[in-house]
């Protein structure tokens, strides 16, 4: 059985944990810097260019956005977390979102794994390492996408992946791959990882 990613649709936007859907079932959260390509990756995954909003201005997504199959709150969910590291937002707003993101990560029981997106040309920025270290401490599975790999020459992207694998050697719950929303590079690998998280072994869900 596999998740029917094309059937995902928008469920709800939540400004904080208290406004999130009922904490039941399973979900996977996409996180990353505001220029890492989260929305583009979700759109490529679901084969729907309009599902997650993309913007030329990084940091426009400042809500926790939930997507589910057929708008059913108990179906597998994909969660688009607010992009962090955006510069054109007041410090008070950044602190506000950091507080609510921390609450989501620490208290959300249905969260099965994190997808951390990093620009393959500039991976492992400070915020990326913070989330990676949090996942290690929490023993939360995390899958890293080196995005925009089409912007690099093949030998450059392979070298970036090789170096990145060295970085995560001390993170037993972490895995990593190259990814390009434009070229669909690595899309099948991402789907395979999400299937492992969103389809419990004792579930016959599609």
């Amino acid at each position: 059985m596999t998740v029917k990613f094309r059937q995902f649709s928008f469920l709800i936007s939540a400004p904080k944990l208290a406004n999130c859907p009922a904490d039941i079932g399973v979900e996977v959260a996409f996180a990353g810097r505001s220029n890492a390509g989260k929305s583009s990756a979700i759109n490529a995954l679901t084969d729907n260019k309009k599902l997650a909003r993309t913007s030329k201005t990084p940091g426009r997504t400042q809500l926790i956005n939930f997507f589910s199959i057929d708008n059913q709150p108990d179906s597998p969910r994909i969660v688009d977390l607010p992009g962090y590291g955006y510069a054109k937002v007041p410090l008070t707003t950044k602190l506000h979102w950091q507080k609510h993101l921390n609450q989501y990560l620490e208290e959300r029981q249905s969260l099965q794994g994190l997808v951390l997106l990093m620009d393959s040309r500039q991976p492992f920025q400070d915020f990326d390492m913070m989330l990676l270290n949090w996942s290690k401490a929490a023993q939360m599975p995390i899958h890293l996408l080196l995005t925009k790999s089409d912007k690099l020459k093949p030998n450059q992207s392979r070298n970036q992946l090789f170096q990145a694998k060295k970085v995560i050697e001390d993170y037993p719950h972490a895995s990593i791959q190259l990814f390009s929303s434009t070229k669909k590079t690595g899309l099948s690998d991402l789907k395979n990882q999400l299937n492992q998280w969103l389809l419990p072994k004792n579930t016959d869900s599609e």
Side-chain angles (χ1 to χ4, degrees), residues 17-68:
L17 183 65
N19 303 115
C20 292
D23 197 358
I24 58 176
V26 293
E27 63 193 33
V28 170
F30 281 61
R33 293 182 62 84
S34 54
N35 60 350
K38 284 191 299 90
S39 296
S40 296
I42 292 174
N43 290 345
L45 176 67
T46 58
D47 196 24
N48 184 346
K49 295 180 180 180
K50 298 182 179 180
L51 183 62
R53 293 183 179 180
T54 59
S55 173
K56 293 182 180 180
T57 304
R60 291 290 294 275
T61 302
Q62 297 178 29
L63 296 171
I64 304 174
N65 296 307
F66 290 81
F67 306 93
S68 66

Side-chain angles (χ1 to χ4, degrees), residues 150-191:
D150 57 296
K151 303 293 185 181
L152 298 173
K153 295 180 180 179
N155 62 323
Q156 292 177 319
S157 61
R158 286 192 296 267
N159 183 63
Q160 286 293 78
L161 179 61
F162 177 77
Q163 297 298 328
K165 285 182 176 179
K166 284 186 175 182
V167 174
I168 67 169
E169 285 179 352
D170 294 330
Y171 297 85
H173 298 282
S175 54
I176 194 167
Q177 66 165 102
L178 293 170
F179 188 82
S180 168
S181 299
T182 304
K183 302 294 185 180
K184 303 297 191 294
T185 305
L187 186 57
S188 60
D189 292 333
L190 175 58
K191 288 182 177 180

